[in-house]
Amino acid sequence: MATDPLDDLLELENDYYKEGYDAGVADSTYAGLIEGKVFGIEKGYEKALELGKLHGRALVWRERSSFSVKEVPEESSTPENSDSSRLGDIIKTLSQLSDNTRFRRHVEGLRTASDSATIAKDNSDEAVTEFDDRVARAKAKAKVIANIVGESLNSTSASNVGIEDATGLQARH
């Protein structure tokens, strides 16, 4: 039996469908890689920023406590030292915290857990898990310290909190 000359014409739609599908798979593979990298960078930045904030809190709490009051020399006039002296002046204006061993132990634990110099920065599963564990430990330490000091960890004001944010709700007991 002879082949119909219109078979190629009838298969034209299927050929274009297959060609478009193959092009879409190739494009989406590339776009997925790029999107995954951007997402990874964003999440990594968010986690590092949070860890940096916790480390900063640990340093401020340590400086506010009476066990580590240090004077900055007045004669230093380099830009680096002027920044640190301004920070020292700001910390001096904050209320001093009482010195007790429990508080000191928690502050040093928070400072150690949030120290970026000791964190593995490779992209292995073990390093990511260890990083997440350290962030969780640092958050827990910061919460304990905030309770000891009587300060809030939440830096947003109550007027800024939306209805979706459960942290703004005050429980009645």
Side-chain angles (χ1 to χ4, degrees):
M1 189 158 152
T3 61
D4 190 5
L6 297 177
D7 278 347
D8 289 338
L9 186 60
L10 294 174
E11 289 294 319
L12 190 61
E13 182 180 357
N14 288 338
D15 292 343
Y16 282 136
Y17 175 81
K18 178 153 178 40
E19 182 182 332
Y21 178 82
D22 292 341
V25 167
D27 287 346
S28 67
T29 300
Y30 178 73
L33 288 174
I34 297 298
E35 188 175 322
K37 286 180 182 181
V38 169
F39 181 75
I41 289 170
E42 287 174 356
K43 285 299 171 186
Y45 176 77
E46 288 173 7
K47 289 179 182 181
L49 182 66
E50 187 169 356
L51 196 65
K53 286 178 182 179
L54 291 170
H55 189 70
R57 281 183 180 260
L59 296 177
V60 169
W61 277 326
R62 186 180 69 182
E63 291 300 316
R64 285 178 59 197
S65 65
S66 59
F67 67 86
S68 67
V69 175
K70 298 175 189 157
E71 293 296 322
V72 178
E74 299 279 336
E75 60 202 12
S76 59
S77 62
T78 62
E80 299 161 352
N81 291 337
S82 66
D83 287 343
S84 64
S85 68
R86 275 187 270 153
L87 180 61
D89 292 341
I90 291 170
I91 290 175
K92 287 178 189 174
T93 62
L94 298 173
S95 63
Q96 287 292 315
L97 302 174
S98 64
D99 180 22
N100 65 40
T101 56
R102 181 175 172 235
F103 173 73
R104 183 183 308 169
R105 186 172 28 94
H106 285 300
V107 169
E108 286 305 312
L110 174 59
R111 191 186 62 75
T112 303
S114 63
D115 188 13
S116 65
T118 60
I119 293 177
K121 295 169 180 73
D122 59 331
N123 197 20
S124 66
D125 289 339
E126 297 83 24
V128 171
T129 302
E130 193 252 334
F131 187 86
D132 290 341
D133 290 345
R134 286 182 73 165
V135 169
R137 270 187 289 150
K139 280 183 184 179
K141 286 282 186 190
K143 192 172 188 178
V144 168
I145 296 168
N147 286 337
I148 291 172
V149 175
E151 296 177 351
S152 172
L153 280 180
N154 193 1
S155 61
T156 61
S157 65
S159 62
N160 258 352
V161 177
I163 195 162
E164 297 87 9
D165 190 6
T167 59
L169 300 176
Q170 300 297 324
R172 289 183 283 181
H173 295 282

mmCIF file of all heavy atoms in Angstrom, residues 88-139:
data_model
loop_
_atom_site.group_PDB
_atom_site.id
_atom_site.type_symbol
_atom_site.label_atom_id
_atom_site.label_comp_id
_atom_site.label_asym_id
_atom_site.label_seq_id
_atom_site.Cartn_x
_atom_site.Cartn_y
_atom_site.Cartn_z
ATOM 1 N N GLY A 88 31.726 52.660 71.457
ATOM 2 C CA GLY A 88 31.947 52.619 72.903
ATOM 3 C C GLY A 88 31.136 53.676 73.629
ATOM 4 O O GLY A 88 30.594 53.433 74.704
ATOM 5 N N ASP A 89 31.030 54.876 73.032
ATOM 6 C CA ASP A 89 30.224 55.943 73.637
ATOM 7 C C ASP A 89 28.749 55.566 73.662
ATOM 8 O O ASP A 89 28.046 55.843 74.631
ATOM 9 C CB ASP A 89 30.409 57.253 72.870
ATOM 10 C CG ASP A 89 31.812 57.818 73.024
ATOM 11 O OD1 ASP A 89 32.513 57.417 73.989
ATOM 12 O OD2 ASP A 89 32.208 58.650 72.183
ATOM 13 N N ILE A 90 28.285 54.953 72.577
ATOM 14 C CA ILE A 90 26.880 54.538 72.524
ATOM 15 C C ILE A 90 26.610 53.470 73.561
ATOM 16 O O ILE A 90 25.599 53.509 74.263
ATOM 17 C CB ILE A 90 26.518 54.044 71.107
ATOM 18 C CG1 ILE A 90 26.529 55.220 70.130
ATOM 19 C CG2 ILE A 90 25.162 53.363 71.100
ATOM 20 C CD1 ILE A 90 26.414 54.817 68.673
ATOM 21 N N ILE A 91 27.517 52.505 73.676
ATOM 22 C CA ILE A 91 27.328 51.428 74.648
ATOM 23 C C ILE A 91 27.351 51.982 76.067
ATOM 24 O O ILE A 91 26.602 51.531 76.933
ATOM 25 C CB ILE A 91 28.382 50.317 74.442
ATOM 26 C CG1 ILE A 91 28.080 49.582 73.140
ATOM 27 C CG2 ILE A 91 28.412 49.357 75.616
ATOM 28 C CD1 ILE A 91 29.094 48.557 72.751
ATOM 29 N N LYS A 92 28.178 53.013 76.314
ATOM 30 C CA LYS A 92 28.233 53.609 77.652
ATOM 31 C C LYS A 92 26.918 54.278 78.024
ATOM 32 O O LYS A 92 26.586 54.375 79.197
ATOM 33 C CB LYS A 92 29.370 54.625 77.731
ATOM 34 C CG LYS A 92 30.731 53.994 77.770
ATOM 35 C CD LYS A 92 31.800 55.057 77.797
ATOM 36 C CE LYS A 92 33.169 54.452 77.626
ATOM 37 N NZ LYS A 92 34.212 55.465 77.502
ATOM 38 N N THR A 93 26.171 54.755 77.014
ATOM 39 C CA THR A 93 24.900 55.399 77.317
ATOM 40 C C THR A 93 23.811 54.383 77.676
ATOM 41 O O THR A 93 22.813 54.749 78.274
ATOM 42 C CB THR A 93 24.399 56.251 76.129
ATOM 43 O OG1 THR A 93 24.172 55.397 75.014
ATOM 44 C CG2 THR A 93 25.397 57.335 75.784
ATOM 45 N N LEU A 94 24.005 53.124 77.287
ATOM 46 C CA LEU A 94 23.036 52.087 77.630
ATOM 47 C C LEU A 94 23.206 51.703 79.085
ATOM 48 O O LEU A 94 24.265 51.872 79.679
ATOM 49 C CB LEU A 94 23.238 50.861 76.738
ATOM 50 C CG LEU A 94 23.036 51.064 75.247
ATOM 51 C CD1 LEU A 94 23.446 49.816 74.486
ATOM 52 C CD2 LEU A 94 21.596 51.421 74.943
ATOM 53 N N SER A 95 22.171 51.156 79.666
ATOM 54 C CA SER A 95 22.244 50.766 81.071
ATOM 55 C C SER A 95 23.202 49.592 81.234
ATOM 56 O O SER A 95 23.287 48.717 80.384
ATOM 57 C CB SER A 95 20.854 50.379 81.585
ATOM 58 O OG SER A 95 20.381 49.256 80.868
ATOM 59 N N GLN A 96 23.937 49.617 82.340
ATOM 60 C CA GLN A 96 24.865 48.530 82.638
ATOM 61 C C GLN A 96 24.085 47.326 83.135
ATOM 62 O O GLN A 96 23.066 47.468 83.804
ATOM 63 C CB GLN A 96 25.875 48.974 83.712
ATOM 64 C CG GLN A 96 26.909 49.949 83.204
ATOM 65 C CD GLN A 96 27.842 49.293 82.211
ATOM 66 O OE1 GLN A 96 28.315 48.190 82.431
ATOM 67 N NE2 GLN A 96 28.098 49.969 81.109
ATOM 68 N N LEU A 97 24.581 46.157 82.794
ATOM 69 C CA LEU A 97 23.935 44.915 83.210
ATOM 70 C C LEU A 97 24.686 44.324 84.391
ATOM 71 O O LEU A 97 25.908 44.471 84.495
ATOM 72 C CB LEU A 97 23.907 43.926 82.047
ATOM 73 C CG LEU A 97 23.203 44.414 80.784
ATOM 74 C CD1 LEU A 97 23.363 43.412 79.669
ATOM 75 C CD2 LEU A 97 21.737 44.661 81.062
ATOM 76 N N SER A 98 23.974 43.641 85.238
ATOM 77 C CA SER A 98 24.625 43.042 86.398
ATOM 78 C C SER A 98 25.485 41.869 85.961
ATOM 79 O O SER A 98 25.209 41.200 84.973
ATOM 80 C CB SER A 98 23.582 42.583 87.418
ATOM 81 O OG SER A 98 22.798 41.561 86.843
ATOM 82 N N ASP A 99 26.518 41.649 86.732
ATOM 83 C CA ASP A 99 27.463 40.582 86.410
ATOM 84 C C ASP A 99 27.141 39.362 87.261
ATOM 85 O O ASP A 99 27.184 39.421 88.483
ATOM 86 C CB ASP A 99 28.881 41.070 86.689
ATOM 87 C CG ASP A 99 29.922 40.006 86.385
ATOM 88 O OD1 ASP A 99 29.615 39.097 85.603
ATOM 89 O OD2 ASP A 99 31.033 40.092 86.924
ATOM 90 N N ASN A 100 26.774 38.248 86.585
ATOM 91 C CA ASN A 100 26.669 36.980 87.290
ATOM 92 C C ASN A 100 27.188 35.892 86.354
ATOM 93 O O ASN A 100 27.249 36.066 85.142
ATOM 94 C CB ASN A 100 25.246 36.706 87.808
ATOM 95 C CG ASN A 100 24.238 36.532 86.696
ATOM 96 O OD1 ASN A 100 24.516 35.920 85.675
ATOM 97 N ND2 ASN A 100 23.056 37.069 86.904
ATOM 98 N N THR A 101 27.580 34.798 86.922
ATOM 99 C CA THR A 101 28.238 33.760 86.129
ATOM 100 C C THR A 101 27.303 33.133 85.105
ATOM 101 O O THR A 101 27.734 32.774 84.007
ATOM 102 C CB THR A 101 28.816 32.664 87.041
ATOM 103 O OG1 THR A 101 27.767 32.134 87.848
ATOM 104 C CG2 THR A 101 29.923 33.214 87.900
ATOM 105 N N ARG A 102 26.033 33.020 85.442
ATOM 106 C CA ARG A 102 25.070 32.440 84.493
ATOM 107 C C ARG A 102 24.953 33.329 83.261
ATOM 108 O O ARG A 102 24.998 32.856 82.119
ATOM 109 C CB ARG A 102 23.715 32.278 85.185
ATOM 110 C CG ARG A 102 22.664 31.677 84.308
ATOM 111 C CD ARG A 102 21.386 31.428 85.124
ATOM 112 N NE ARG A 102 20.327 31.025 84.246
ATOM 113 C CZ ARG A 102 19.158 31.613 84.160
ATOM 114 N NH1 ARG A 102 18.887 32.651 84.930
ATOM 115 N NH2 ARG A 102 18.242 31.183 83.337
ATOM 116 N N PHE A 103 24.793 34.627 83.485
ATOM 117 C CA PHE A 103 24.705 35.578 82.382
ATOM 118 C C PHE A 103 25.980 35.546 81.552
ATOM 119 O O PHE A 103 25.935 35.490 80.325
ATOM 120 C CB PHE A 103 24.451 36.980 82.943
ATOM 121 C CG PHE A 103 24.513 38.065 81.906
ATOM 122 C CD1 PHE A 103 23.501 38.210 80.981
ATOM 123 C CD2 PHE A 103 25.589 38.935 81.858
ATOM 124 C CE1 PHE A 103 23.548 39.214 80.028
ATOM 125 C CE2 PHE A 103 25.644 39.931 80.910
ATOM 126 C CZ PHE A 103 24.625 40.069 79.990
ATOM 127 N N ARG A 104 27.139 35.571 82.206
ATOM 128 C CA ARG A 104 28.422 35.570 81.502
ATOM 129 C C ARG A 104 28.579 34.306 80.651
ATOM 130 O O ARG A 104 29.027 34.357 79.514
ATOM 131 C CB ARG A 104 29.558 35.660 82.517
ATOM 132 C CG ARG A 104 30.926 35.734 81.874
ATOM 133 C CD ARG A 104 32.032 35.760 82.885
ATOM 134 N NE ARG A 104 31.802 36.802 83.876
ATOM 135 C CZ ARG A 104 32.494 36.920 84.985
ATOM 136 N NH1 ARG A 104 33.459 36.068 85.254
ATOM 137 N NH2 ARG A 104 32.235 37.871 85.841
ATOM 138 N N ARG A 105 28.182 33.167 81.211
ATOM 139 C CA ARG A 105 28.301 31.897 80.496
ATOM 140 C C ARG A 105 27.424 31.893 79.236
ATOM 141 O O ARG A 105 27.849 31.465 78.168
ATOM 142 C CB ARG A 105 27.919 30.747 81.426
ATOM 143 C CG ARG A 105 28.129 29.377 80.861
ATOM 144 C CD ARG A 105 27.914 28.273 81.905
ATOM 145 N NE ARG A 105 26.987 28.589 82.964
ATOM 146 C CZ ARG A 105 25.690 28.276 82.944
ATOM 147 N NH1 ARG A 105 25.172 27.646 81.922
ATOM 148 N NH2 ARG A 105 24.903 28.585 83.960
ATOM 149 N N HIS A 106 26.204 32.405 79.361
ATOM 150 C CA HIS A 106 25.305 32.442 78.202
ATOM 151 C C HIS A 106 25.796 33.427 77.141
ATOM 152 O O HIS A 106 25.704 33.150 75.941
ATOM 153 C CB HIS A 106 23.885 32.793 78.634
ATOM 154 C CG HIS A 106 23.177 31.660 79.312
ATOM 155 N ND1 HIS A 106 22.944 30.454 78.694
ATOM 156 C CD2 HIS A 106 22.657 31.561 80.560
ATOM 157 C CE1 HIS A 106 22.305 29.657 79.536
ATOM 158 N NE2 HIS A 106 22.126 30.296 80.669
ATOM 159 N N VAL A 107 26.309 34.571 77.556
ATOM 160 C CA VAL A 107 26.819 35.552 76.587
ATOM 161 C C VAL A 107 28.014 34.983 75.837
ATOM 162 O O VAL A 107 28.111 35.107 74.613
ATOM 163 C CB VAL A 107 27.167 36.890 77.285
ATOM 164 C CG1 VAL A 107 27.939 37.795 76.344
ATOM 165 C CG2 VAL A 107 25.910 37.579 77.762
ATOM 166 N N GLU A 108 28.910 34.354 76.551
ATOM 167 C CA GLU A 108 30.075 33.760 75.876
ATOM 168 C C GLU A 108 29.662 32.594 74.980
ATOM 169 O O GLU A 108 30.226 32.394 73.912
ATOM 170 C CB GLU A 108 31.121 33.309 76.902
ATOM 171 C CG GLU A 108 31.882 34.462 77.514
ATOM 172 C CD GLU A 108 32.544 35.357 76.470
ATOM 173 O OE1 GLU A 108 33.211 34.849 75.553
ATOM 174 O OE2 GLU A 108 32.365 36.588 76.581
ATOM 175 N N GLY A 109 28.652 31.837 75.395
ATOM 176 C CA GLY A 109 28.137 30.764 74.541
ATOM 177 C C GLY A 109 27.515 31.311 73.275
ATOM 178 O O GLY A 109 27.702 30.763 72.177
ATOM 179 N N LEU A 110 26.778 32.408 73.392
ATOM 180 C CA LEU A 110 26.185 33.048 72.209
ATOM 181 C C LEU A 110 27.271 33.605 71.300
ATOM 182 O O LEU A 110 27.218 33.446 70.077
ATOM 183 C CB LEU A 110 25.229 34.163 72.634
ATOM 184 C CG LEU A 110 24.638 35.024 71.513
ATOM 185 C CD1 LEU A 110 23.849 34.174 70.527
ATOM 186 C CD2 LEU A 110 23.768 36.121 72.094
ATOM 187 N N ARG A 111 28.273 34.231 71.887
ATOM 188 C CA ARG A 111 29.359 34.790 71.079
ATOM 189 C C ARG A 111 30.116 33.686 70.348
ATOM 190 O O ARG A 111 30.428 33.816 69.169
ATOM 191 C CB ARG A 111 30.314 35.590 71.967
ATOM 192 C CG ARG A 111 31.308 36.427 71.173
ATOM 193 C CD ARG A 111 32.330 37.077 72.071
ATOM 194 N NE ARG A 111 33.148 36.115 72.794
ATOM 195 C CZ ARG A 111 34.128 35.402 72.248
ATOM 196 N NH1 ARG A 111 34.397 35.509 70.988
ATOM 197 N NH2 ARG A 111 34.828 34.563 72.983
ATOM 198 N N THR A 112 30.337 32.588 71.007
ATOM 199 C CA THR A 112 31.042 31.463 70.382
ATOM 200 C C THR A 112 30.192 30.819 69.298
ATOM 201 O O THR A 112 30.694 30.510 68.215
ATOM 202 C CB THR A 112 31.408 30.415 71.450
ATOM 203 O OG1 THR A 112 32.194 31.045 72.461
ATOM 204 C CG2 THR A 112 32.184 29.270 70.844
ATOM 205 N N ALA A 113 28.911 30.629 69.564
ATOM 206 C CA ALA A 113 28.033 29.980 68.581
ATOM 207 C C ALA A 113 27.823 30.839 67.346
ATOM 208 O O ALA A 113 27.619 30.312 66.252
ATOM 209 C CB ALA A 113 26.680 29.657 69.219
ATOM 210 N N SER A 114 27.889 32.154 67.502
ATOM 211 C CA SER A 114 27.627 33.038 66.369
ATOM 212 C C SER A 114 28.890 33.589 65.727
ATOM 213 O O SER A 114 28.800 34.433 64.839
ATOM 214 C CB SER A 114 26.733 34.194 66.824
ATOM 215 O OG SER A 114 27.390 34.966 67.799
ATOM 216 N N ASP A 115 30.045 33.120 66.133
ATOM 217 C CA ASP A 115 31.312 33.612 65.575
ATOM 218 C C ASP A 115 31.488 33.098 64.157
ATOM 219 O O ASP A 115 31.553 31.891 63.913
ATOM 220 C CB ASP A 115 32.471 33.168 66.451
ATOM 221 C CG ASP A 115 33.777 33.802 66.047
ATOM 222 O OD1 ASP A 115 33.751 34.764 65.249
ATOM 223 O OD2 ASP A 115 34.828 33.347 66.534
ATOM 224 N N SER A 116 31.580 34.004 63.205
ATOM 225 C CA SER A 116 31.661 33.611 61.799
ATOM 226 C C SER A 116 33.012 33.013 61.425
ATOM 227 O O SER A 116 33.117 32.334 60.401
ATOM 228 C CB SER A 116 31.361 34.808 60.902
ATOM 229 O OG SER A 116 32.360 35.799 61.062
ATOM 230 N N ALA A 117 34.029 33.252 62.228
ATOM 231 C CA ALA A 117 35.347 32.726 61.904
ATOM 232 C C ALA A 117 35.416 31.209 62.061
ATOM 233 O O ALA A 117 36.255 30.560 61.436
ATOM 234 C CB ALA A 117 36.405 33.385 62.787
ATOM 235 N N THR A 118 34.546 30.637 62.859
ATOM 236 C CA THR A 118 34.603 29.197 63.122
ATOM 237 C C THR A 118 33.543 28.408 62.362
ATOM 238 O O THR A 118 33.399 27.218 62.585
ATOM 239 C CB THR A 118 34.439 28.929 64.626
ATOM 240 O OG1 THR A 118 33.174 29.434 65.052
ATOM 241 C CG2 THR A 118 35.557 29.577 65.424
ATOM 242 N N ILE A 119 32.803 29.073 61.480
ATOM 243 C CA ILE A 119 31.741 28.392 60.743
ATOM 244 C C ILE A 119 32.268 27.920 59.397
ATOM 245 O O ILE A 119 32.941 28.662 58.685
ATOM 246 C CB ILE A 119 30.536 29.332 60.538
ATOM 247 C CG1 ILE A 119 29.900 29.632 61.885
ATOM 248 C CG2 ILE A 119 29.530 28.743 59.596
ATOM 249 C CD1 ILE A 119 28.767 30.603 61.815
ATOM 250 N N ALA A 120 31.946 26.682 59.053
ATOM 251 C CA ALA A 120 32.315 26.155 57.743
ATOM 252 C C ALA A 120 31.473 26.849 56.679
ATOM 253 O O ALA A 120 30.264 26.987 56.814
ATOM 254 C CB ALA A 120 32.087 24.653 57.695
ATOM 255 N N LYS A 121 32.128 27.284 55.612
ATOM 256 C CA LYS A 121 31.424 28.043 54.583
ATOM 257 C C LYS A 121 31.297 27.284 53.268
ATOM 258 O O LYS A 121 30.953 27.867 52.254
ATOM 259 C CB LYS A 121 32.139 29.366 54.352
ATOM 260 C CG LYS A 121 32.075 30.262 55.581
ATOM 261 C CD LYS A 121 32.984 31.440 55.458
ATOM 262 C CE LYS A 121 32.921 32.315 56.682
ATOM 263 N NZ LYS A 121 33.570 31.773 57.840
ATOM 264 N N ASP A 122 31.560 25.986 53.274
ATOM 265 C CA ASP A 122 31.382 25.214 52.045
ATOM 266 C C ASP A 122 29.920 24.814 51.895
ATOM 267 O O ASP A 122 29.105 25.035 52.775
ATOM 268 C CB ASP A 122 32.303 23.986 52.024
ATOM 269 C CG ASP A 122 32.055 23.055 53.195
ATOM 270 O OD1 ASP A 122 31.628 23.527 54.255
ATOM 271 O OD2 ASP A 122 32.293 21.849 53.037
ATOM 272 N N ASN A 123 29.583 24.242 50.768
ATOM 273 C CA ASN A 123 28.189 23.971 50.449
ATOM 274 C C ASN A 123 27.858 22.481 50.561
ATOM 275 O O ASN A 123 27.064 21.965 49.802
ATOM 276 C CB ASN A 123 27.865 24.485 49.046
ATOM 277 C CG ASN A 123 26.381 24.625 48.809
ATOM 278 O OD1 ASN A 123 25.612 24.699 49.745
ATOM 279 N ND2 ASN A 123 25.984 24.654 47.557
ATOM 280 N N SER A 124 28.450 21.822 51.524
ATOM 281 C CA SER A 124 28.132 20.413 51.727
ATOM 282 C C SER A 124 26.925 20.290 52.650
ATOM 283 O O SER A 124 26.565 21.224 53.366
ATOM 284 C CB SER A 124 29.340 19.683 52.337
ATOM 285 O OG SER A 124 29.590 20.163 53.638
ATOM 286 N N ASP A 125 26.298 19.133 52.619
ATOM 287 C CA ASP A 125 25.122 18.911 53.470
ATOM 288 C C ASP A 125 25.477 19.030 54.950
ATOM 289 O O ASP A 125 24.702 19.582 55.739
ATOM 290 C CB ASP A 125 24.519 17.535 53.200
ATOM 291 C CG ASP A 125 23.823 17.464 51.846
ATOM 292 O OD1 ASP A 125 23.461 18.532 51.314
ATOM 293 O OD2 ASP A 125 23.644 16.342 51.331
ATOM 294 N N GLU A 126 26.648 18.512 55.328
ATOM 295 C CA GLU A 126 27.065 18.562 56.728
ATOM 296 C C GLU A 126 27.289 19.996 57.178
ATOM 297 O O GLU A 126 26.902 20.387 58.285
ATOM 298 C CB GLU A 126 28.346 17.745 56.950
ATOM 299 C CG GLU A 126 28.200 16.272 56.676
ATOM 300 C CD GLU A 126 28.351 15.920 55.197
ATOM 301 O OE1 GLU A 126 28.993 16.683 54.454
ATOM 302 O OE2 GLU A 126 27.791 14.897 54.773
ATOM 303 N N ALA A 127 27.917 20.816 56.322
ATOM 304 C CA ALA A 127 28.194 22.202 56.685
ATOM 305 C C ALA A 127 26.899 23.001 56.812
ATOM 306 O O ALA A 127 26.762 23.820 57.718
ATOM 307 C CB ALA A 127 29.111 22.848 55.649
ATOM 308 N N VAL A 128 25.945 22.761 55.923
ATOM 309 C CA VAL A 128 24.670 23.476 55.983
ATOM 310 C C VAL A 128 23.904 23.076 57.238
ATOM 311 O O VAL A 128 23.337 23.925 57.936
ATOM 312 C CB VAL A 128 23.837 23.212 54.708
ATOM 313 C CG1 VAL A 128 22.440 23.770 54.846
ATOM 314 C CG2 VAL A 128 24.527 23.794 53.486
ATOM 315 N N THR A 129 23.899 21.795 57.560
ATOM 316 C CA THR A 129 23.218 21.320 58.769
ATOM 317 C C THR A 129 23.872 21.907 60.012
ATOM 318 O O THR A 129 23.177 22.349 60.938
ATOM 319 C CB THR A 129 23.247 19.785 58.824
ATOM 320 O OG1 THR A 129 22.630 19.281 57.650
ATOM 321 C CG2 THR A 129 22.524 19.262 60.046
ATOM 322 N N GLU A 130 25.206 21.933 60.041
ATOM 323 C CA GLU A 130 25.919 22.487 61.184
ATOM 324 C C GLU A 130 25.638 23.985 61.320
ATOM 325 O O GLU A 130 25.447 24.498 62.421
ATOM 326 C CB GLU A 130 27.424 22.235 61.024
ATOM 327 C CG GLU A 130 28.219 22.484 62.281
ATOM 328 C CD GLU A 130 29.058 23.742 62.204
ATOM 329 O OE1 GLU A 130 29.418 24.152 61.093
ATOM 330 O OE2 GLU A 130 29.332 24.323 63.263
ATOM 331 N N PHE A 131 25.576 24.695 60.193
ATOM 332 C CA PHE A 131 25.264 26.126 60.209
ATOM 333 C C PHE A 131 23.865 26.362 60.778
ATOM 334 O O PHE A 131 23.674 27.222 61.641
ATOM 335 C CB PHE A 131 25.363 26.703 58.789
ATOM 336 C CG PHE A 131 25.232 28.188 58.729
ATOM 337 C CD1 PHE A 131 26.332 29.000 58.902
ATOM 338 C CD2 PHE A 131 24.001 28.781 58.496
ATOM 339 C CE1 PHE A 131 26.220 30.379 58.845
ATOM 340 C CE2 PHE A 131 23.875 30.150 58.439
ATOM 341 C CZ PHE A 131 24.989 30.957 58.617
ATOM 342 N N ASP A 132 22.890 25.591 60.309
ATOM 343 C CA ASP A 132 21.518 25.730 60.810
ATOM 344 C C ASP A 132 21.431 25.401 62.300
ATOM 345 O O ASP A 132 20.699 26.065 63.045
ATOM 346 C CB ASP A 132 20.560 24.841 60.016
ATOM 347 C CG ASP A 132 20.343 25.329 58.602
ATOM 348 O OD1 ASP A 132 20.619 26.516 58.326
ATOM 349 O OD2 ASP A 132 19.892 24.518 57.763
ATOM 350 N N ASP A 133 22.181 24.387 62.741
ATOM 351 C CA ASP A 133 22.193 24.039 64.162
ATOM 352 C C ASP A 133 22.788 25.169 64.995
ATOM 353 O O ASP A 133 22.295 25.479 66.087
ATOM 354 C CB ASP A 133 22.988 22.756 64.403
ATOM 355 C CG ASP A 133 22.284 21.525 63.873
ATOM 356 O OD1 ASP A 133 21.071 21.607 63.581
ATOM 357 O OD2 ASP A 133 22.955 20.471 63.741
ATOM 358 N N ARG A 134 23.835 25.810 64.485
ATOM 359 C CA ARG A 134 24.454 26.910 65.221
ATOM 360 C C ARG A 134 23.525 28.113 65.297
ATOM 361 O O ARG A 134 23.470 28.797 66.317
ATOM 362 C CB ARG A 134 25.785 27.287 64.593
ATOM 363 C CG ARG A 134 26.850 26.245 64.920
ATOM 364 C CD ARG A 134 28.162 26.587 64.385
ATOM 365 N NE ARG A 134 28.789 27.662 65.114
ATOM 366 C CZ ARG A 134 30.067 27.947 65.010
ATOM 367 N NH1 ARG A 134 30.832 27.241 64.208
ATOM 368 N NH2 ARG A 134 30.586 28.945 65.671
ATOM 369 N N VAL A 135 22.796 28.375 64.222
ATOM 370 C CA VAL A 135 21.828 29.476 64.251
ATOM 371 C C VAL A 135 20.749 29.179 65.294
ATOM 372 O O VAL A 135 20.374 30.060 66.081
ATOM 373 C CB VAL A 135 21.205 29.714 62.856
ATOM 374 C CG1 VAL A 135 20.029 30.665 62.937
ATOM 375 C CG2 VAL A 135 22.240 30.242 61.882
ATOM 376 N N ALA A 136 20.270 27.938 65.332
ATOM 377 C CA ALA A 136 19.244 27.563 66.315
ATOM 378 C C ALA A 136 19.787 27.683 67.740
ATOM 379 O O ALA A 136 19.092 28.185 68.636
ATOM 380 C CB ALA A 136 18.755 26.146 66.041
ATOM 381 N N ARG A 137 21.025 27.230 67.962
ATOM 382 C CA ARG A 137 21.628 27.348 69.293
ATOM 383 C C ARG A 137 21.806 28.810 69.687
ATOM 384 O O ARG A 137 21.547 29.204 70.835
ATOM 385 C CB ARG A 137 22.985 26.652 69.342
ATOM 386 C CG ARG A 137 22.904 25.209 69.746
ATOM 387 C CD ARG A 137 24.274 24.621 69.937
ATOM 388 N NE ARG A 137 24.871 24.510 68.601
ATOM 389 C CZ ARG A 137 26.156 24.583 68.345
ATOM 390 N NH1 ARG A 137 27.023 24.761 69.302
ATOM 391 N NH2 ARG A 137 26.613 24.466 67.120
ATOM 392 N N ALA A 138 22.247 29.623 68.729
ATOM 393 C CA ALA A 138 22.454 31.046 69.015
ATOM 394 C C ALA A 138 21.128 31.733 69.333
ATOM 395 O O ALA A 138 21.062 32.565 70.241
ATOM 396 C CB ALA A 138 23.136 31.719 67.827
ATOM 397 N N LYS A 139 20.060 31.382 68.600
ATOM 398 C CA LYS A 139 18.740 31.958 68.894
ATOM 399 C C LYS A 139 18.290 31.577 70.301
ATOM 400 O O LYS A 139 17.747 32.410 71.038
ATOM 401 C CB LYS A 139 17.705 31.449 67.886
ATOM 402 C CG LYS A 139 17.718 32.155 66.581
ATOM 403 C CD LYS A 139 16.582 31.583 65.733
ATOM 404 C CE LYS A 139 16.544 32.148 64.356
ATOM 405 N NZ LYS A 139 15.457 31.562 63.548
#
